[in-house]
Amino acid sequence: MEYQNRIEAVFLERINRFVARVEIDGKEEKVHVPNTGRCREIFVPGTRVYLSRSEKSGRKYPYTLYEAYKGDMLIHIDSAGANRLAEEALMKGRVKELIGAAEIVREKPYGSSRFDFRFQQDGKLCYMEVKGVTLEIDGVAKFPDAPTERGARHLAELQQAASEGFGAYVLFVIQMKGVKAFTPFTERDRKFSEALSAAASHGVKVLAYDTKVTPEHIVLDQSVPIVLPRLEEEYDKN
């Protein structure tokens, strides 16, 4: 996935979930932020960021902030970009567990949810939800960085799909390079963490891949080890 009309800037302030203030060549500009997560460890005043400029007329904010440095690590922060990366990877066979996926369709309803993808794999109809990960702590990628009831509901629906014989996957797209593992952020959202462990123990395949990130492009790269917490009922059995 490539970005056109890229511009380097300095982050100044996040005004709200969707808008930030940056400095471009000494001039302040308001820009669109395509990520509603907290990203507090990324959006620090003085941080070097990258913007893309839209050629469409009539936009309130022509610039979109799509990448930011955290130390030496360049992080892709565009939430919608995670889905585009996943689609590209499925089409090109970059997800090793899903090589050969066919009839890939986006935004398909199931139950009360609308999953990011539906596809055929080895003759089985499959559903997949994609989660973009921008939070890194001590070399470990974590999700979510803010509580998400919607995310827990998606996992429960995937678990139901698996129980009905469908293939069910959740793919965590880690929008950076250099992490050693992925784990749910239990301290931030215990319900999501428990839902992920429950889904994994009931047939949902949990995948995590990092990405190669440059100012010009980003691509899904390598599988990352996954560490899931044990469920309370598992502790009770011991």
Side-chain angles (χ1 to χ4, degrees):
M1 188 172 73
E2 296 185 355
Y3 282 91
Q4 305 296 325
N5 303 321
R6 67 179 182 87
I7 298 168
E8 187 172 332
V10 176
F11 182 84
L12 299 176
E13 175 190 20
R14 190 168 189 177
I15 298 172
N16 57 43
R17 290 194 303 166
F18 304 103
V19 182
R21 196 165 54 87
V22 304
E23 182 180 296
I24 306 171
D25 294 330
K27 180 182 177 181
E28 291 190 10
E29 290 276 357
K30 289 182 179 179
V31 300
H32 173 60
V33 178
N35 189 317
T36 58
R38 294 175 178 174
C39 299
R40 290 173 181 166
E41 75 290 344
I42 301 173
F43 292 147
V44 177
T47 293
R48 184 156 51 113
V49 300
Y50 287 99
L51 319 172
S52 62
R53 182 181 176 89
S54 174
E55 297 300 327
K56 294 180 181 179
S57 61
R59 279 188 45 152
K60 186 174 182 179
Y61 304 114
Y63 296 102
T64 296
L65 194 165
Y66 67 92
E67 287 177 355
Y69 275 97
K70 180 185 175 187
D72 294 330
M73 180 181 287
L74 185 57
I75 301 175
H76 179 251
I77 63 96
D78 185 352
S79 296
N83 281 36
R84 296 197 297 272
L85 284 167
E87 183 175 32
E88 179 184 80
L90 285 172
M91 294 285 191
K92 296 184 177 181
R94 290 186 182 134
V95 182
K96 61 185 179 182
E97 297 88 348
L98 295 173
I99 292 175
E103 299 178 32
I104 301 165
V105 183
R106 294 187 66 168
E107 296 290 328
K108 298 305 293 184
Y110 173 89
S112 60
S113 291
R114 182 177 292 273
F115 292 131
D116 292 319
F117 294 97
R118 188 186 70 190
F119 54 88
Q120 293 280 347
Q121 173 74 6
D122 297 329
K124 179 184 285 191
L125 189 64
C126 303
Y127 292 94
M128 185 168 76
E129 186 67 13
V130 176
K131 303 297 183 186
V133 183
T134 59
L135 177 63
E136 175 270 336
I137 300 176
D138 296 330
V140 177
K142 296 191 175 187
F143 183 93
D145 80 338
T148 170
E149 292 184 9
R150 181 171 175 269
R153 186 182 75 248
H154 282 157
L155 293 173
E157 294 272 17
L158 281 173
Q159 184 175 323
Q160 179 63 31
S163 73
E164 294 178 2
F166 296 104
Y169 296 84
V170 56
L171 170 63
F172 291 94
V173 176
I174 301 166
Q175 294 168 247
M176 67 196 84
K177 194 72 180 172
V179 299
K180 58 190 177 185
F182 166 80
T183 191
F185 199 172
T186 305
E187 297 88 342
R188 190 64 52 84
D189 190 340
R190 186 174 184 84
K191 288 184 179 180
F192 180 88
S193 181
E194 290 175 346
L196 182 60
S197 290
S201 66
H202 289 85
V204 177
K205 304 295 190 301
V206 182
L207 311 175
Y209 275 72
D210 66 10
T211 51
K212 288 182 179 177
V213 184
T214 74
E216 294 81 16
H217 70 275
I218 175 173
V219 63
L220 202 76
D221 193 28
Q222 295 183 330
S223 178
V224 171
I226 298 167
V227 179
L228 297 180
R230 294 173 64 188
L231 294 169
E232 290 294 336
E233 59 257 33
E234 292 177 342
Y235 285 108
D236 293 341
K237 292 176 183 178
N238 297 329

